[in-house]
Amino acid sequence: MARVVNESDDEEVEDKGKYGEPVKFDPNFHGPIKNRSCTDVICCLLFAVFVGGWIALGVLAILSGDPNTLILPTDSWGNICGNEASSTVKNKPVLFFFDMSSCAALGPAVLLAGCPTPQVCVEKCPEESWSYLTDTTDKSLLICKYHINPLVDPRSVSEMVRAEDCAPYYYESANLIGRCIPKLAEEAVDSILDIGGDPVANMDGDNITYEDMYGGIKWLSDTLNLQIVSQNIFQDFVESWWIILLALGIAMLISWLWILLMRCLAWIIVWLSLLALVGLLGFGCYYCFKTYSDLQDVPGSDLSYTEVGFTTNLNAYLALRDTWLWFGIIISVVLFILLLMLLFLRTRIRIAIELISEASKAVGYITSALFFPLIPFVLQIAVFGFWAVVATYMASSGKGHFKVYGATPNCCGDFTNGSFCEPDEFNNLYGSTGADCLFVGYGGDFYYDNLFWFQLYNLFMWFWAMFFVIALGQMVLAGAFASYYWAWKKPNDIPAFAVTESFYRTVVYHLGSLAFGSLLIALCRLVRVFLEYIDQKLKLSESTLAKFFMKCLKCCFWCLERFLKFLNKNAYIMVAIYGKNFCSSAKKAVFLLMRNIVRVFVLDKVTDFLLFIGKFMVVGALGVASSFWFSHRVFPSVKSLNFLRPTLNYYHAPVIAVTGGSYVIASCFFNVYGMAVDTLFLCFLEDCERNDGSEEKPYFMSKNLGRIVGMKNKKKKKAK
């Protein structure tokens, strides 16, 4: 017979009517369809319009923003300290804070919101300490806002301070990345600051303690120190870049060798791992029940959990017989389930292993598939870079608006109180009249008043574009590996440029399907971002019910995103093979998988297990090796190797770079491998339904795979 049906297939046969009819034989089908038309055109046009809007937004943000305002010290009026183009802050390169203690109230939020105190640019940081309570007469010591000249101002020192026109105090300060940070000896007690024996007070007259001052300095100085640390890390990368590249090259080589080894060793790795797991669980059962027996005569071991009560001392629970009894029962149940799976699902495990080996052969024949992921990877970097640039420029966008105050009739030409003005121009022309051109805020037009929504649009487009690029890589690889499976004589019938042909079909015909699938995941991810934002707000709430529902919603949308990714991947495989639209392909893929649900589950878990082992081997090996190398723990006494081991400020930085880079490289290789397995699996399921092994309908699967599932092609009858 051409096919032997296993009893374990019965439950899948029963579901065939429920989830559509099996695929019928088509004598003209020989792999990915050549003659196809464009799919999901509306989604393609919609994606193009949104990308065009994203590019336009990026141009507008670049023209309107200035990232220097996020890095360089900027005063309360938006002036960059030391800006040569501004007469107000020219030759004033450092930033001074009127009341540093006010920063303490915001804690780490001061990094984003800024310190809620007036900030002005000064020529240099204070070199002495001063307080308005100590010296109430010498106005030359005051540090004031730009439009205030304390020497001619008729108000007293206290009046100018309480009006927030001048700083109430300052300490001898150090210039830290362009900011004046007070130099203070740390105090452990909540004592009041003093200068010359007199207490230091803020603008409201409240005394300032050491705790207030240190609270204000802490987050600001720590963040500024990060800039120094980042400079040292950058220097470390400059010294060790070639070693990092060499390590990443080794990671690429190990990943390639691992895939090659999977051809022959997949079944060894899987079965040895399963046997080791069975042995480990068996030993766990033995140890738990033996401990339960040994505690029989130990006083107090028969106490119940109620009698012990709640305690953070876990040893108290481990001293109870009931604990080890429950451990033994749980491990025994897990072991029993595992043994049942091995007993009744052994055929499906063998199918999964054979498909994994077949995927290794496919990757070996289509070697360009291993290098193609570089294209999506570069595109992802470009998309991320564009998003980051646009987000940075929009974050630094803000047009300061200034209005005239204190103007008398006919004093200032066409300017009256409330008129918009430019401070430099106005002060030069009418500064002596007593009128001021003061900062009132940001905004005033459509762009600046809607920055939040533009940032949200920028975030959404980043999600959509990133998932679109990922989908592009998946569909191209699916088309290439489908060409491998449906080649009758391997490798002779495999297209010479399988990846190139698949890339052409995808770009010319199916960008709309990619846009459709990636849009679904992008919307789901955007909802998850909103839920995460709301969850952060609810942390201050005392409503347990609201927090519970929020956790449930986050879990549901996480599961939904996982399902959509699974659905999209299989839909892209069907689109790559048949050239139909996204919805039709998704339905076809889901029904095919549901008709073979048990095989799907086993293959998915076995594949995940093997890919995890592969990634762990590559990343773990390179991470440990680089840690030992950069920390000079490899042949430390061999001086001749010192030129290969640069002296670093933080050796962890290149280690993290090597580990992260190894993970990215391993993921690229093993994602190709995983895509090969998924594609070949769907093709295998269709092969089982489409063909019967006869001369007219021969199976395309390998002989080993056919032998496992009891399917084989009939031998051609010899002519008499």
Side-chain angles (χ1 to χ4, degrees):
M1 293 179 64
R3 177 177 181 179
V4 177
V5 180
N6 298 321
E7 293 181 1
S8 56
D9 290 332
D10 291 344
E11 68 274 15
E12 294 178 359
V13 174
E14 293 175 359
D15 289 334
K16 291 191 175 187
K18 182 179 180 181
Y19 296 107
E21 294 299 323
V23 182
K24 296 182 179 180
F25 174 73
D26 181 1
N28 298 320
F29 178 77
H30 301 288
I33 303 298
K34 304 295 182 182
N35 298 324
R36 54 181 72 198
S37 59
C38 296
T39 57
D40 300 299
V41 178
I42 295 178
C43 287
C44 184
L45 296 176
L46 183 65
F47 182 69
V49 170
F50 271 71
V51 170
W54 194 25
I55 295 174
L57 176 63
V59 173
L60 180 60
I62 292 173
L63 294 176
S64 305
D66 183 6
N68 287 328
T69 60
L70 302 178
I71 303 173
L72 301 176
T74 307
D75 66 12
S76 298
W77 296 270
N79 300 307
I80 299 175
C81 294
N83 185 4
E84 296 292 333
S86 174
S87 60
T88 304
V89 296
K90 185 179 180 180
N91 300 323
K92 296 179 179 180
V94 293
L95 187 67
F96 172 79
F97 299 83
F98 273 27
D99 183 10
M100 183 64 73
S101 65
S102 62
C103 302
L106 291 182
V110 71
L111 312 179
L112 299 176
C115 206
T117 185
Q119 304 161 37
V120 296
C121 300
V122 295
E123 295 181 6
K124 59 181 180 180
C125 294
E127 298 177 347
E128 58 182 353
S129 301
W130 174 88
S131 171
Y132 80 101
L133 298 179
T134 302
D135 191 339
T136 59
T137 58
D138 191 353
K139 295 184 177 181
S140 64
L141 298 176
L142 288 169
I143 298 178
C144 303
K145 296 179 180 178
Y146 305 127
H147 66 282
I148 300 296
N149 186 346
L151 298 179
V152 299
D153 196 301
R155 295 175 296 174
S156 66
V157 171
S158 298
E159 290 174 335
M160 286 188 284
V161 168
R162 297 187 188 281
E164 297 190 3
D165 287 332
C166 299
Y169 66 90
Y170 51 78
Y171 271 85
E172 180 185 359
S173 303
N175 183 343
L176 182 60
I177 317 296
R179 281 85 170 173
C180 295
I181 304 298
K183 296 179 180 179
L184 293 175
E186 186 173 0
E187 298 288 340
V189 295
D190 189 19
S191 56
I192 297 175
L193 286 172
D194 67 90
I195 297 177
D198 295 319
V200 176
N202 58 21
M203 300 171 184
D204 298 325
D206 299 326
N207 291 333
I208 298 175
T209 65
Y210 276 101
E211 182 181 0
D212 296 332
M213 181 62 75
Y214 275 108
I217 295 174
K218 174 179 172 53
W219 295 107
L220 184 62
S221 60
D222 286 351
T223 304
L224 297 176
N225 282 328
L226 287 177
Q227 297 188 20
I228 299 176
V229 173
S230 63
Q231 294 174 3
N232 291 335
I233 292 176
F234 178 77
Q235 183 63 34
D236 290 341
F237 284 134
V238 171
E239 295 290 336
S240 59
W241 66 269
W242 64 274
I243 302 178
I244 295 175
L245 291 180
L246 179 62
L248 297 182
I250 295 174
M252 187 178 299
L253 179 61
I254 295 176
S255 299
W256 169 252
L257 292 176
W258 184 267
I259 289 178
L260 292 180
L261 289 174
M262 290 299 294
R263 286 194 188 188
C264 309
L265 302 180
W267 67 276
I268 296 178
I269 295 174
V270 173
W271 286 115
L272 285 181
S273 300
L274 290 174
L275 291 176
L277 182 58
V278 170
L280 183 63
L281 292 174
F283 176 78
C285 290
Y286 163 77
Y287 182 81
C288 290
F289 288 117
K290 184 178 184 303
T291 305
Y292 170 78
S293 177
D294 293 341
L295 290 175
Q296 183 175 1
D297 298 326
V298 177
S301 62
D302 291 329
L303 295 175
S304 64
Y305 292 118
T306 306
E307 293 173 319
V308 173
F310 175 77
T311 176
T312 57
N313 182 12
L314 297 181
N315 291 325
Y317 298 115
L318 295 178
L320 302 178
R321 297 186 70 205
D322 286 349
T323 300
W324 293 102
L325 177 62
W326 279 109
F327 281 166
I329 293 174
I330 293 173
I331 295 176
S332 299
V333 171
V334 173
L335 177 60
F336 179 72
I337 294 174
L338 179 60
L339 291 175
L340 287 180
M341 291 177 62
L342 293 178
L343 180 62
F344 293 103
L345 300 179
R346 62 187 184 280
T347 301
R348 288 176 173 80
I349 295 176
R350 292 173 62 198
I351 294 173
I353 295 173
E354 183 59 33
L355 279 171
I356 290 169
S357 299
E358 195 68 19
S360 297
K361 296 178 183 178
V363 173
Y365 286 129
I366 309 176
T367 53
S368 57
L370 288 173
F371 301 98
F372 171 75
L374 292 176
I375 297 176
F377 181 67
V378 171
L379 290 177
Q380 289 182 56
I381 293 178
V383 169
F384 174 79
F386 184 77
W387 167 79
V389 168
V390 174
T392 301
Y393 273 92
M394 281 200 294
S396 62
S397 296
K399 185 177 180 182
H401 282 190
F402 301 81
K403 289 185 178 181
V404 176
Y405 290 96
T408 57
N410 302 321
C411 76
C412 308
D414 296 332
F415 291 99
T416 59
N417 284 328
S419 300
F420 286 101
C421 58
E422 291 294 333
D424 289 342
E425 177 185 358
F426 184 88
N427 290 333
N428 288 334
L429 294 176
Y430 308 109
S432 59
T433 63
D436 295 314
C437 181
L438 302 180
F439 174 79
V440 294
Y442 293 99
D445 57 33
F446 178 79
Y447 173 72
Y448 299 111
D449 290 343
N450 293 277
L451 277 178
F452 170 79
W453 298 108
F454 287 139
Q455 284 283 25
L456 186 63
Y457 177 75
N458 183 42
L459 179 66
F460 168 71
M461 284 308 302
W462 176 42
F463 290 154
W464 195 359
M466 287 291 283
F467 291 127
F468 180 87
V469 173
I470 293 173
L472 173 65
Q474 291 177 337
M475 187 177 292
V476 171
L477 292 175
F481 292 126
S483 299
Y484 164 84
Y485 186 92
W486 297 110
W488 179 249
K489 293 183 180 180
K490 301 178 178 64
N492 296 334
D493 292 345
I494 301 174
F497 302 99
V499 174
T500 304
E501 292 179 8
S502 181
F503 181 79
Y504 173 80
R505 292 193 297 267
T506 301
V507 172
V508 173
Y509 299 109
H510 305 306
L511 292 182
S513 298
L514 300 180
F516 193 170
S518 55
L519 175 62
L520 297 178
I521 305 180
L523 290 173
C524 184
R525 177 63 62 86
L526 192 64
V527 172
R528 290 185 61 195
V529 171
F530 275 121
L531 293 177
E532 195 65 41
Y533 173 77
I534 296 173
D535 187 46
Q536 294 296 322
K537 295 293 184 182
L538 286 177
K539 286 185 177 180
L540 301 177
S541 172
E542 296 182 358
S543 175
T544 305
L545 184 62
K547 293 180 180 179
F548 171 76
F549 279 112
M550 183 54 57
K551 297 297 183 184
C552 292
L553 283 174
K554 289 172 63 177
C555 179
C556 290
F557 277 93
W558 179 85
C559 294
L560 177 61
E561 183 175 321
R562 295 279 296 182
F563 171 75
L564 287 175
K565 288 181 177 179
F566 175 79
L567 174 68
N568 284 9
K569 178 187 289 188
N570 290 283
Y572 296 148
I573 294 173
M574 287 301 184
V575 173
I577 297 175
Y578 294 102
K580 302 299 182 181
N581 61 52
F582 179 85
C583 292
S584 298
S585 300
K587 178 182 177 181
K588 185 180 182 69
V590 169
F591 279 11
L592 180 61
L593 293 173
M594 291 303 296
R595 292 196 296 268
N596 301 271
I597 188 62
V598 180
R599 286 176 178 171
V600 173
F601 175 79
V602 174
L603 177 77
D604 184 62
K605 297 309 174 186
V606 173
T607 304
D608 287 346
F609 175 72
L610 285 178
L611 295 183
F612 169 77
I613 292 177
K615 289 182 182 180
F616 180 79
M617 288 289 293
V618 175
V619 177
L622 269 298
V624 172
S626 61
S627 176
F628 276 85
W629 183 262
F630 286 116
S631 61
H632 294 201
R633 284 182 284 176
V634 178
F635 306 117
S637 59
V638 182
K639 302 299 182 182
S640 59
L641 293 177
N642 286 344
F643 77 98
L644 297 175
R645 295 181 295 213
T647 301
L648 306 174
N649 297 295
Y650 312 102
Y651 81 88
H652 296 94
V655 171
I656 293 174
V658 169
T659 305
S662 300
Y663 176 79
V664 171
I665 290 174
S667 296
C668 288
F669 275 84
F670 289 106
N671 286 347
V672 172
Y673 191 76
M675 198 66 202
V677 173
D678 291 335
T679 303
L680 296 181
F681 180 57
L682 281 183
C683 293
F684 162 73
L685 296 180
E686 283 218 350
D687 194 11
C688 294
E689 295 184 354
R690 181 188 295 276
N691 303 307
D692 58 10
S694 63
E695 293 185 19
E696 297 79 14
K697 305 177 184 179
Y699 292 119
F700 284 77
M701 66 186 71
S702 65
K703 292 182 179 179
N704 290 337
L705 189 57
R707 184 169 57 253
I708 293 173
V709 297
M711 301 178 184
K712 61 180 180 179
N713 291 324
K714 294 179 180 179
K715 294 182 180 181
K716 293 184 179 180
K717 296 181 179 179
K718 296 181 180 180
K720 294 183 179 179

